[in-house]
Amino acid sequence: MGGRFITFEGVDGSGKTTQLRRLAATLRAAGEAVVETREPGGATGAEAIRRLLVEGEPGRWSPETEILLFTAARRDHVERTIAPARARGETVLCDRFADSTRVYQGVARAGLRGMVDRLHELSIGIEPDLTLILDIDPEAALSRGLARGTAEDRFERFGLDFQQKLRAGFLALAAEFPGRCRVIRAEGSAEEVAARIAAAVMETP
Ligand code: TMP
């Protein structure tokens, strides 16, 4: 099946993006070919869809329309970036994937997990080899996220209750898929979190 597929998940501001970069550097230093990518996005068409999703008013899309847009972006990303990289034997590190749709749209925005799962099965069909769920108190994470000051804050503007639901949703997901999910405590310094992640990755073949 080719290169490993590792995803990073967690609430907004959990530090995934920083940690993904660090893991990429660690694996490259060990001689691995690594592709760093993200969702929504990671391919030209998917990045265009990203702007529709992460900018603007929170009420801009219904949860159902959001699921369709995230799934469309994911299909493009898998076709153009993830599958080709894995076929070349490269390790793919992805900032969010289908678990974000399962939790953001399937649980926190609305109880739409059935729709998420059916669309995933129909049009995506792959799962990561390893999913690192960065777990942190949403209050601390949210202040970090909003402090970034970008226009990409549509989901952060749903507020703290929403982020609490997300945290619970990600922990439930880890229990649902214990084979591939590892919960990583994301409090502490970036070095400490990176060490926890490196240990989890080393344990996974
Ligand atoms: P990011 O800030 O991690 O780049 O993600 C962009 C936002 O999109 C983030 O608030 C989470 C949200 N999102 C979903 O709601 N569903 C999804 O399927 C994905 C991939 C992201």
Side-chain angles (χ1 to χ4, degrees):
M1 181 62 227
R4 280 189 298 177
F5 179 30
I6 301 176
T7 57
F8 287 67
E9 299 281 0
V11 301
D12 294 284
S14 56
K16 305 173 276 88
T17 311
T18 307
Q19 292 299 330
L20 187 150
R21 283 199 204 109
R22 281 179 167 260
L23 180 63
T26 304
L27 295 178
R28 284 193 187 111
E32 236 173 275
V34 178
V35 171
E36 293 172 62
T37 190
R38 68 167 180 183
E39 289 215 348
T44 308
E47 287 288 337
I49 298 172
R50 177 187 177 94
R51 289 191 284 281
L52 298 174
L53 282 161
V54 300
E55 296 176 9
E57 287 307 306
R60 180 177 187 185
W61 307 110
S62 73
E64 289 83 353
T65 310
E66 256 173 42
I67 294 171
L68 293 166
L69 288 169
F70 278 115
T71 307
R74 182 160 306 128
R75 173 76 199 199
D76 187 54
H77 186 211
V78 170
E79 282 178 8
R80 313 272 172 139
T81 304
I82 298 175
R86 296 183 78 194
R88 293 192 301 268
E90 296 172 9
T91 296
V92 175
L93 301 186
C94 189
D95 194 337
R96 300 195 183 280
F97 191 66
D99 292 326
S100 279
T101 319
R102 291 181 177 118
V103 173
Y104 277 75
Q105 283 68 43
V107 178
R109 282 219 67 196
L112 289 171
R113 179 67 192 274
M115 179 177 172
V116 172
D117 284 349
R118 278 153 75 189
L119 278 170
H120 182 79
E121 196 187 322
L122 251 160
S123 51
I124 309 296
I126 61 166
E127 297 297 342
D129 300 304
L130 175 65
T131 297
L132 301 158
I133 295 177
L134 270 59
D135 184 51
I136 188 168
D137 170 28
E139 207 158 354
L142 194 67
S143 58
R144 224 154 69 177
L146 289 173
R148 284 190 304 205
T150 68
E152 293 194 334
D153 67 348
R154 184 168 159 256
F155 287 93
E156 287 157 26
R157 289 166 64 195
F158 279 106
L160 189 57
D161 276 4
F162 184 77
Q163 298 290 328
Q164 302 282 13
K165 280 193 208 165
L166 291 173
R167 184 188 201 186
F170 278 119
L171 293 175
L173 205 79
E176 186 180 344
F177 300 109
R180 67 172 169 87
C181 291
R182 297 288 175 272
V183 177
I184 306 289
R185 200 159 56 80
E187 269 133 31
S189 69
E191 287 73 21
E192 285 165 340
V193 180
R196 290 176 201 138
I197 288 174
V201 172
M202 297 315 159
E203 279 167 17
T204 312

